[in-house]
Amino acid sequence: MVQHYVTRAGATSMVGNIYLGRVQNVLPGMEAAFVDVGRGRNGVLYAGEVNYSPEDIDGPAPRIEQLLKPGQAVMVQVTKDPMGGKGARLTANLSLAGRYLVLAPNQDLQGISRRLPDEARKRLKTLLKRVKPSEHGVIVRTAAESATEEALEADLRRLLAIWDQIRATATKGKAPTVLYEEPELTVRVVRDLFTDEEYRGLVTDSQRVHGLVVNYLREVAPDLADKVTLHTGPLPAFEAYRIVEQIHKALDRKVWLPSGGYLIIERTEAMTIIDVNTGKSVGKTNLEATVVNTNLEAAREVARQLRLRDIGGIIVIDFIDMLLEKNKKQVEDTMREALAVDKTRSQVFEIGPLGLMQVTRKRVSSGLVESFSQICPTCEGRGIILTYDVD
Protein backbone atom coordinates (compact mmCIF):
# COMPACT_ATOMS: atom_id res chain seq x y z
CA MET A 1 0.00 0.00 0.00
CA VAL A 2 1.42 3.40 -0.97
CA GLN A 3 -1.47 5.83 -0.46
CA HIS A 4 -4.87 5.97 1.22
CA TYR A 5 -8.13 7.87 1.01
CA VAL A 6 -10.72 7.60 3.77
CA THR A 7 -14.42 8.32 3.59
CA ARG A 8 -17.13 7.41 6.06
CA ALA A 9 -20.91 7.12 5.78
CA GLY A 10 -22.44 10.51 6.44
CA ALA A 11 -19.08 12.33 6.47
CA THR A 12 -18.36 13.91 3.10
CA SER A 13 -15.52 16.20 2.12
CA MET A 14 -16.28 19.79 1.14
CA VAL A 15 -13.14 20.17 -0.99
CA GLY A 16 -14.02 21.20 -4.54
CA ASN A 17 -17.57 22.20 -3.65
CA ILE A 18 -18.70 25.63 -4.85
CA TYR A 19 -20.99 27.80 -2.75
CA LEU A 20 -22.71 31.13 -3.00
CA GLY A 21 -21.56 32.42 0.38
CA ARG A 22 -22.27 35.52 2.39
CA VAL A 23 -19.46 37.59 3.90
CA GLN A 24 -19.92 37.72 7.68
CA ASN A 25 -17.01 39.94 8.61
CA VAL A 26 -13.79 41.30 7.11
CA LEU A 27 -10.60 41.47 9.20
CA PRO A 28 -8.08 43.86 7.57
CA GLY A 29 -5.43 42.98 10.15
CA MET A 30 -5.56 39.32 9.07
CA GLU A 31 -6.15 40.19 5.41
CA ALA A 32 -9.03 37.74 5.47
CA ALA A 33 -12.80 37.53 5.38
CA PHE A 34 -15.05 35.00 7.06
CA VAL A 35 -17.75 33.65 4.77
CA ASP A 36 -20.90 31.74 5.69
CA VAL A 37 -21.40 28.90 3.18
CA GLY A 38 -24.25 27.28 5.05
CA ARG A 39 -22.17 24.44 6.49
CA GLY A 40 -21.74 25.34 10.14
CA ARG A 41 -18.46 27.10 10.93
CA ASN A 42 -17.62 30.03 8.64
CA GLY A 43 -14.94 29.49 6.02
CA VAL A 44 -11.92 31.79 5.68
CA LEU A 45 -11.12 33.64 2.46
CA TYR A 46 -7.69 35.28 2.37
CA ALA A 47 -6.93 38.40 0.34
CA GLY A 48 -4.78 36.51 -2.17
CA GLU A 49 -7.72 34.24 -3.02
CA VAL A 50 -10.17 37.06 -3.83
CA ASN A 51 -11.00 37.35 -7.52
CA TYR A 52 -10.98 40.80 -9.13
CA SER A 53 -10.22 42.32 -12.54
CA PRO A 54 -6.80 44.09 -12.53
CA GLU A 55 -7.91 46.37 -15.36
CA ASP A 56 -10.59 47.79 -13.05
CA ILE A 57 -8.02 48.81 -10.43
CA ASP A 58 -5.60 51.74 -10.62
CA GLY A 59 -2.39 51.50 -8.62
CA PRO A 60 -1.40 48.68 -6.23
CA ALA A 61 -3.47 45.60 -5.49
CA PRO A 62 -6.55 46.52 -3.42
CA ARG A 63 -6.90 45.54 0.21
CA ILE A 64 -9.50 42.96 1.13
CA GLU A 65 -11.76 45.52 2.86
CA GLN A 66 -11.97 47.37 -0.46
CA LEU A 67 -13.16 44.25 -2.28
CA LEU A 68 -15.49 42.63 0.25
CA LYS A 69 -18.10 44.03 2.62
CA PRO A 70 -20.14 42.30 5.35
CA GLY A 71 -23.40 40.97 3.91
CA GLN A 72 -22.00 40.74 0.37
CA ALA A 73 -22.69 37.55 -1.61
CA VAL A 74 -19.59 35.91 -3.08
CA MET A 75 -19.04 32.72 -5.07
CA VAL A 76 -16.35 30.60 -3.40
CA GLN A 77 -14.84 27.13 -3.61
CA VAL A 78 -13.49 25.01 -0.76
CA THR A 79 -9.78 24.16 -1.04
CA LYS A 80 -9.32 22.59 2.40
CA ASP A 81 -11.78 20.90 4.74
CA PRO A 82 -12.34 22.24 8.28
CA MET A 83 -9.71 20.82 10.64
CA GLY A 84 -9.72 21.05 14.41
CA GLY A 85 -10.95 24.49 15.34
CA LYS A 86 -10.30 25.96 11.90
CA GLY A 87 -13.01 26.56 9.32
CA ALA A 88 -12.83 25.54 5.67
CA ARG A 89 -10.26 27.30 3.49
CA LEU A 90 -11.87 29.11 0.56
CA THR A 91 -10.91 30.63 -2.76
CA ALA A 92 -12.80 32.83 -5.21
CA ASN A 93 -10.60 31.56 -8.08
CA LEU A 94 -12.85 28.69 -9.10
CA SER A 95 -11.84 25.53 -10.94
CA LEU A 96 -13.72 22.48 -12.22
CA ALA A 97 -11.79 19.23 -12.59
CA GLY A 98 -12.58 16.79 -15.37
CA ARG A 99 -10.89 13.60 -16.47
CA TYR A 100 -8.35 15.29 -18.78
CA LEU A 101 -8.81 19.02 -18.16
CA VAL A 102 -9.35 21.54 -15.39
CA LEU A 103 -11.58 24.47 -16.33
CA ALA A 104 -10.80 27.82 -14.64
CA PRO A 105 -13.90 29.94 -15.33
CA ASN A 106 -13.34 33.57 -16.23
CA GLN A 107 -9.57 33.31 -15.73
CA ASP A 108 -6.80 34.02 -18.20
CA LEU A 109 -4.55 31.03 -17.74
CA GLN A 110 -3.49 27.82 -19.42
CA GLY A 111 -1.05 25.09 -18.53
CA ILE A 112 -0.01 21.49 -18.93
CA SER A 113 0.90 19.06 -16.12
CA ARG A 114 4.64 19.02 -15.49
CA ARG A 115 4.49 15.30 -14.81
CA LEU A 116 3.97 14.63 -18.51
CA PRO A 117 6.97 13.82 -20.71
CA ASP A 118 8.21 16.54 -23.07
CA GLU A 119 6.88 14.82 -26.20
CA ALA A 120 3.37 14.55 -24.74
CA ARG A 121 3.50 18.16 -23.50
CA LYS A 122 4.41 19.38 -26.97
CA ARG A 123 1.51 17.46 -28.56
CA LEU A 124 -0.98 18.61 -25.94
CA LYS A 125 0.15 22.22 -26.21
CA THR A 126 -0.89 22.18 -29.87
CA LEU A 127 -4.26 20.60 -29.02
CA LEU A 128 -4.83 23.05 -26.17
CA LYS A 129 -4.54 26.02 -28.52
CA ARG A 130 -7.32 24.56 -30.64
CA VAL A 131 -9.79 23.61 -27.90
CA LYS A 132 -9.31 26.34 -25.27
CA PRO A 133 -12.23 28.82 -25.05
CA SER A 134 -11.14 32.47 -25.08
CA GLU A 135 -13.10 33.46 -21.97
CA HIS A 136 -11.89 30.65 -19.65
CA GLY A 137 -8.62 29.15 -18.50
CA VAL A 138 -7.75 25.49 -19.07
CA ILE A 139 -5.13 23.20 -17.51
CA VAL A 140 -4.29 19.82 -19.04
CA ARG A 141 -4.05 17.00 -16.49
CA THR A 142 -1.61 14.08 -16.33
CA ALA A 143 -4.34 11.63 -17.40
CA ALA A 144 -4.43 13.34 -20.81
CA GLU A 145 -1.04 11.92 -21.86
CA SER A 146 -2.54 9.77 -24.64
CA ALA A 147 -5.91 11.54 -24.96
CA THR A 148 -7.16 12.48 -28.43
CA GLU A 149 -8.44 15.91 -29.44
CA GLU A 150 -11.97 14.51 -29.48
CA ALA A 151 -11.60 13.26 -25.89
CA LEU A 152 -10.34 16.68 -24.74
CA GLU A 153 -13.23 18.44 -26.50
CA ALA A 154 -15.77 16.07 -24.93
CA ASP A 155 -14.28 16.65 -21.46
CA LEU A 156 -14.36 20.40 -22.00
CA ARG A 157 -18.01 20.30 -23.09
CA ARG A 158 -18.92 18.46 -19.87
CA LEU A 159 -17.11 21.07 -17.76
CA LEU A 160 -18.67 24.00 -19.61
CA ALA A 161 -22.12 22.49 -19.09
CA ILE A 162 -21.42 22.21 -15.36
CA TRP A 163 -20.26 25.84 -15.26
CA ASP A 164 -23.39 27.02 -17.08
CA GLN A 165 -25.51 25.18 -14.50
CA ILE A 166 -23.53 26.76 -11.62
CA ARG A 167 -24.07 30.26 -13.02
CA ALA A 168 -27.78 29.65 -13.52
CA THR A 169 -28.16 28.34 -9.95
CA ALA A 170 -26.19 31.31 -8.56
CA THR A 171 -28.44 33.78 -10.39
CA LYS A 172 -31.59 32.29 -8.86
CA GLY A 173 -30.14 31.24 -5.49
CA LYS A 174 -29.96 33.13 -2.20
CA ALA A 175 -26.75 33.04 -0.16
CA PRO A 176 -25.69 30.88 1.55
CA THR A 177 -26.41 27.98 -0.80
CA VAL A 178 -24.51 25.17 -2.50
CA LEU A 179 -23.98 25.60 -6.24
CA TYR A 180 -21.92 22.51 -7.06
CA GLU A 181 -20.80 19.41 -5.17
CA GLU A 182 -17.92 17.16 -6.17
CA PRO A 183 -18.78 13.50 -6.83
CA GLU A 184 -18.17 10.98 -4.05
CA LEU A 185 -14.59 10.05 -3.15
CA THR A 186 -14.43 6.86 -5.22
CA VAL A 187 -15.25 8.66 -8.46
CA ARG A 188 -12.86 11.52 -7.63
CA VAL A 189 -9.97 9.13 -7.07
CA VAL A 190 -10.70 7.31 -10.33
CA ARG A 191 -11.05 10.61 -12.18
CA ASP A 192 -7.83 12.06 -10.79
CA LEU A 193 -5.51 9.03 -10.56
CA PHE A 194 -6.67 5.97 -12.50
CA THR A 195 -4.65 5.84 -15.72
CA ASP A 196 -3.53 3.06 -18.02
CA GLU A 197 0.12 4.03 -17.53
CA GLU A 198 0.17 3.82 -13.72
CA TYR A 199 -2.33 1.11 -12.72
CA ARG A 200 -2.91 -2.46 -13.83
CA GLY A 201 -6.48 -2.51 -12.57
CA LEU A 202 -9.05 -1.53 -9.94
CA VAL A 203 -10.60 -4.03 -7.52
CA THR A 204 -13.69 -3.54 -5.35
CA ASP A 205 -15.98 -5.91 -3.48
CA SER A 206 -18.91 -3.46 -3.57
CA GLN A 207 -21.41 -3.96 -6.36
CA ARG A 208 -22.56 -0.35 -5.95
CA VAL A 209 -19.04 1.05 -6.29
CA HIS A 210 -18.28 -1.30 -9.19
CA GLY A 211 -21.33 -0.07 -11.10
CA LEU A 212 -20.59 3.56 -10.26
CA VAL A 213 -16.98 3.41 -11.47
CA VAL A 214 -17.73 1.36 -14.60
CA ASN A 215 -20.51 3.73 -15.65
CA TYR A 216 -18.24 6.75 -15.10
CA LEU A 217 -15.36 5.23 -17.09
CA ARG A 218 -17.62 4.18 -19.95
CA GLU A 219 -18.52 7.85 -20.30
CA VAL A 220 -15.05 9.43 -19.99
CA ALA A 221 -12.49 6.65 -20.67
CA PRO A 222 -14.13 3.53 -22.18
CA ASP A 223 -10.78 1.77 -22.65
CA LEU A 224 -10.32 1.58 -18.86
CA ALA A 225 -13.75 0.14 -17.99
CA ASP A 226 -12.58 -3.45 -18.52
CA LYS A 227 -9.84 -2.96 -15.90
CA VAL A 228 -12.40 -2.67 -13.10
CA THR A 229 -12.94 -6.01 -11.30
CA LEU A 230 -15.63 -7.02 -8.82
CA HIS A 231 -13.97 -9.12 -6.07
CA THR A 232 -16.10 -12.16 -5.15
CA GLY A 233 -13.71 -14.27 -3.05
CA PRO A 234 -14.46 -15.74 0.40
CA LEU A 235 -12.64 -12.87 2.12
CA PRO A 236 -13.36 -9.14 1.79
CA ALA A 237 -11.06 -7.40 -0.70
CA PHE A 238 -9.15 -5.55 2.04
CA GLU A 239 -8.31 -8.84 3.76
CA ALA A 240 -7.61 -10.77 0.57
CA TYR A 241 -5.08 -8.14 -0.53
CA ARG A 242 -3.73 -7.67 3.03
CA ILE A 243 -4.75 -4.02 3.14
CA VAL A 244 -5.96 -4.25 6.75
CA GLU A 245 -2.59 -5.65 7.82
CA GLN A 246 -0.74 -2.84 6.04
CA ILE A 247 -2.98 -0.18 7.62
CA HIS A 248 -2.19 -1.56 11.08
CA LYS A 249 1.54 -1.37 10.30
CA ALA A 250 1.14 2.19 9.04
CA LEU A 251 -0.39 3.19 12.37
CA ASP A 252 2.71 2.16 14.35
CA ARG A 253 5.08 4.87 15.54
CA LYS A 254 8.05 2.57 14.85
CA VAL A 255 9.02 1.61 11.29
CA TRP A 256 11.82 -0.88 10.62
CA LEU A 257 14.33 -0.40 7.80
CA PRO A 258 15.79 -3.26 5.70
CA SER A 259 19.27 -3.01 7.27
CA GLY A 260 17.96 -3.21 10.84
CA GLY A 261 17.67 0.52 11.52
CA TYR A 262 14.33 2.08 12.34
CA LEU A 263 12.28 5.28 12.35
CA ILE A 264 10.24 6.76 15.19
CA ILE A 265 7.41 8.97 13.91
CA GLU A 266 5.84 11.41 16.36
CA ARG A 267 3.03 13.86 15.58
CA THR A 268 2.75 17.14 17.47
CA GLU A 269 0.44 20.14 17.12
CA ALA A 270 3.09 22.15 15.25
CA MET A 271 4.92 19.53 13.21
CA THR A 272 5.83 15.87 12.69
CA ILE A 273 9.17 14.68 14.09
CA ILE A 274 10.94 11.64 12.61
CA ASP A 275 13.97 10.18 14.37
CA VAL A 276 16.38 7.89 12.50
CA ASN A 277 18.24 5.20 14.48
CA THR A 278 20.81 2.55 13.48
CA GLY A 279 19.10 -0.06 15.68
CA LYS A 280 20.38 -3.51 14.70
CA SER A 281 22.34 -2.19 11.70
CA VAL A 282 26.08 -2.76 12.28
CA GLY A 283 27.37 -2.42 8.70
CA LYS A 284 30.36 -4.13 7.14
CA THR A 285 33.09 -1.51 6.54
CA ASN A 286 33.18 1.60 8.74
CA LEU A 287 30.89 3.77 10.85
CA GLU A 288 30.39 6.49 8.22
CA ALA A 289 29.38 3.94 5.58
CA THR A 290 26.94 2.30 8.01
CA VAL A 291 25.42 5.67 8.91
CA VAL A 292 25.08 6.77 5.29
CA ASN A 293 23.45 3.49 4.27
CA THR A 294 20.96 3.74 7.14
CA ASN A 295 20.20 7.38 6.31
CA LEU A 296 19.64 6.57 2.62
CA GLU A 297 17.21 3.79 3.56
CA ALA A 298 15.55 6.19 5.98
CA ALA A 299 15.14 8.91 3.34
CA ARG A 300 13.35 6.53 0.98
CA GLU A 301 11.17 5.12 3.75
CA VAL A 302 10.31 8.57 5.13
CA ALA A 303 9.08 9.66 1.69
CA ARG A 304 6.96 6.49 1.49
CA GLN A 305 5.54 7.02 4.98
CA LEU A 306 4.65 10.66 4.32
CA ARG A 307 2.58 9.59 1.33
CA LEU A 308 1.14 6.47 2.99
CA ARG A 309 0.10 8.28 6.18
CA ASP A 310 -0.73 11.52 4.32
CA ILE A 311 1.37 13.56 6.74
CA GLY A 312 1.32 17.26 5.89
CA GLY A 313 2.67 20.53 7.25
CA ILE A 314 6.20 20.77 8.64
CA ILE A 315 8.23 17.56 8.97
CA VAL A 316 11.60 17.55 10.77
CA ILE A 317 13.83 14.50 10.24
CA ASP A 318 16.70 13.84 12.65
CA PHE A 319 19.16 11.86 10.54
CA ILE A 320 22.16 10.15 12.10
CA ASP A 321 25.16 12.55 12.05
CA MET A 322 27.34 12.32 8.95
CA LEU A 323 30.85 13.74 8.66
CA LEU A 324 31.18 14.30 4.92
CA GLU A 325 29.18 16.98 3.06
CA LYS A 326 28.93 14.76 -0.04
CA ASN A 327 27.11 12.15 2.03
CA LYS A 328 24.63 14.75 3.30
CA LYS A 329 24.06 15.84 -0.30
CA GLN A 330 23.44 12.22 -1.31
CA VAL A 331 20.76 11.85 1.38
CA GLU A 332 19.12 15.14 0.31
CA ASP A 333 19.05 14.04 -3.35
CA THR A 334 17.60 10.66 -2.38
CA MET A 335 14.81 12.33 -0.41
CA ARG A 336 13.92 14.65 -3.31
CA GLU A 337 13.95 11.75 -5.77
CA ALA A 338 11.73 9.61 -3.52
CA LEU A 339 9.23 12.44 -3.03
CA ALA A 340 9.08 13.18 -6.78
CA VAL A 341 6.53 10.36 -7.32
CA ASP A 342 4.20 11.91 -4.72
CA LYS A 343 1.48 14.02 -6.37
CA THR A 344 1.13 16.14 -3.22
CA ARG A 345 3.39 19.18 -3.39
CA SER A 346 6.43 19.10 -1.09
CA GLN A 347 9.72 20.91 -0.56
CA VAL A 348 12.98 19.50 0.83
CA PHE A 349 15.54 21.71 2.59
CA GLU A 350 19.23 21.01 3.16
CA ILE A 351 20.43 19.12 6.22
CA GLY A 352 21.47 21.68 8.82
CA PRO A 353 24.46 21.68 11.18
CA LEU A 354 22.48 19.71 13.80
CA GLY A 355 21.75 16.92 11.30
CA LEU A 356 18.12 17.99 10.90
CA MET A 357 16.32 18.07 7.56
CA GLN A 358 13.16 20.12 7.17
CA VAL A 359 10.46 19.05 4.70
CA THR A 360 7.17 20.75 3.99
CA ARG A 361 4.27 18.83 2.43
CA LYS A 362 0.87 20.23 1.55
CA ARG A 363 -1.70 19.24 4.14
CA VAL A 364 -4.51 17.53 2.22
CA SER A 365 -6.31 15.54 4.92
CA SER A 366 -6.09 14.99 8.66
CA GLY A 367 -3.88 11.92 8.10
CA LEU A 368 -4.09 8.14 8.51
CA VAL A 369 -3.57 8.06 12.28
CA GLU A 370 -6.26 10.68 12.86
CA SER A 371 -8.67 8.81 10.57
CA PHE A 372 -8.36 5.57 12.59
CA SER A 373 -7.94 6.87 16.13
CA GLN A 374 -9.33 9.22 18.75
CA ILE A 375 -7.74 11.26 21.51
CA CYS A 376 -7.28 9.27 24.73
CA PRO A 377 -9.84 10.63 27.23
CA THR A 378 -7.53 9.90 30.17
CA CYS A 379 -4.33 11.68 29.14
CA GLU A 380 -5.96 13.88 26.46
CA GLY A 381 -3.34 12.94 23.89
CA ARG A 382 -0.24 13.62 25.98
CA GLY A 383 0.70 9.94 26.23
CA ILE A 384 1.40 10.19 29.97
CA ILE A 385 -0.61 10.09 33.19
CA LEU A 386 0.46 12.76 35.66
CA THR A 387 1.15 11.72 39.25
CA TYR A 388 1.26 14.21 42.08
CA ASP A 389 2.71 12.03 44.84
CA VAL A 390 5.73 13.73 46.40
CA ASP A 391 7.79 11.87 49.00
Side-chain angles (χ1 to χ4, degrees):
M1 191 168 80
V2 297
Q3 198 165 356
H4 81 279
Y5 296 87
V6 178
T7 185
R8 299 185 188 280
T12 57
S13 171
M14 294 170 62
V15 173
N17 292 357
I18 297 175
Y19 298 88
L20 183 63
R22 187 170 299 282
V23 178
Q24 292 299 300
N25 53 345
V26 181
L27 302 180
M30 291 183 62
E31 296 188 26
F34 288 92
V35 181
D36 178 13
V37 296
R39 291 287 299 271
R41 192 184 298 118
N42 292 336
V44 59
L45 176 65
Y46 287 102
E49 299 292 344
V50 179
N51 201 356
Y52 65 93
S53 299
E55 60 270 16
D56 296 338
I57 304 295
D58 292 327
R63 293 180 57 83
I64 192 166
E65 64 268 26
Q66 297 173 293
L67 298 171
L68 298 176
K69 304 294 180 184
Q72 178 180 341
V74 59
M75 198 183 298
V76 293
Q77 186 170 32
V78 177
T79 59
K80 187 183 293 186
D81 279 320
M83 266 186 216
K86 299 178 181 178
R89 184 80 173 266
L90 307 174
T91 180
N93 297 308
L94 310 181
S95 62
L96 293 169
R99 171 68 179 171
Y100 303 119
L101 304 173
V102 175
L103 179 70
N106 302 322
Q107 297 176 57
D108 183 21
L109 62 87
Q110 65 180 45
I112 299 174
S113 169
R114 298 190 181 190
R115 295 182 178 275
L116 291 169
D118 291 341
E119 189 174 323
R121 286 172 59 86
K122 185 177 180 180
R123 181 184 73 87
L124 290 167
K125 186 176 181 180
T126 302
L127 295 181
L128 182 58
K129 289 179 180 178
R130 294 206 288 262
V131 303
K132 179 185 176 298
S134 58
E135 67 274 23
H136 302 305
V138 173
I139 298 171
V140 180
R141 311 190 72 184
T142 308
E145 181 173 356
S146 57
T148 63
E149 183 173 354
E150 292 75 19
L152 297 183
E153 289 177 337
D155 204 37
L156 182 59
R157 283 195 299 271
R158 281 190 291 269
L159 295 175
L160 289 172
I162 293 172
W163 174 240
D164 288 341
Q165 181 61 45
I166 290 172
R167 287 193 304 170
T169 306
T171 302
K172 297 180 292 185
K174 182 180 179 181
T177 186
V178 61
L179 302 177
Y180 167 77
E181 289 184 311
E182 278 277 89
E184 68 172 77
L185 179 67
T186 307
V187 174
R188 294 203 309 271
V189 171
V190 170
R191 179 193 68 192
D192 297 344
L193 300 177
F194 191 48
T195 62
D196 198 26
E197 294 78 14
E198 291 192 59
Y199 295 94
R200 295 195 302 270
L202 187 153
V203 179
T204 177
D205 55 9
S206 166
Q207 289 188 344
R208 186 191 70 83
V209 170
H210 179 268
L212 189 70
V213 171
V214 168
N215 290 338
Y216 171 75
L217 288 174
R218 281 174 179 164
E219 181 182 354
V220 301
D223 54 315
L224 293 177
D226 291 339
K227 291 196 169 191
V228 182
T229 304
L230 179 63
H231 176 77
T232 57
L235 294 175
F238 270 32
E239 291 188 28
Y241 288 88
R242 301 175 65 183
I243 301 298
V244 174
E245 175 187 337
Q246 294 179 69
I247 289 175
H248 280 294
K249 285 185 177 180
L251 295 172
D252 285 344
R253 63 190 290 269
K254 190 172 188 177
V255 179
W256 287 100
L257 302 173
S259 65
Y262 62 89
L263 309 175
I264 296 293
I265 302 175
E266 295 281 7
R267 301 288 299 273
T268 72
E269 185 73 19
M271 65 187 74
T272 298
I273 313 296
I274 302 178
D275 187 33
V276 182
N277 299 277
T278 52
K280 302 174 184 177
S281 177
V282 296
K284 295 181 179 179
T285 53
N286 57 62
L287 179 59
E288 179 76 359
T290 302
V291 167
V292 172
N293 180 63
T294 303
N295 283 341
L296 290 174
E297 286 184 352
R300 287 187 284 267
E301 185 61 30
V302 165
R304 193 181 84 86
Q305 291 294 327
L306 295 183
R307 186 181 179 192
L308 172 61
R309 300 174 186 229
D310 201 9
I311 296 174
I314 300 172
I315 301 104
V316 176
I317 306 153
D318 184 9
F319 284 105
I320 307 167
D321 291 341
M322 294 172 285
L323 299 176
L324 303 179
E325 289 298 323
K326 69 174 185 178
N327 291 335
K328 294 180 182 180
K329 180 71 165 53
Q330 188 179 2
V331 172
E332 293 163 3
D333 291 343
T334 299
M335 177 66 79
R336 292 189 179 97
E337 182 181 338
L339 281 172
V341 299
D342 187 359
K343 288 182 170 59
T344 301
R345 187 171 67 252
S346 61
Q347 188 173 2
V348 177
F349 296 88
E350 295 179 353
I351 296 175
L354 298 179
L356 303 177
M357 173 188 284
Q358 298 174 67
V359 176
T360 61
R361 185 174 184 270
K362 184 178 179 182
R363 197 186 299 276
V364 178
S365 73
S366 57
L368 185 70
V369 173
E370 287 73 13
S371 297
F372 291 96
S373 67
Q374 59 185 17
I375 299 295
C376 171
T378 302
C379 71
E380 297 182 344
R382 293 190 65 184
I384 59 173
I385 297 177
L386 296 176
T387 58
Y388 297 96
D389 297 335
V390 179
D391 294 331

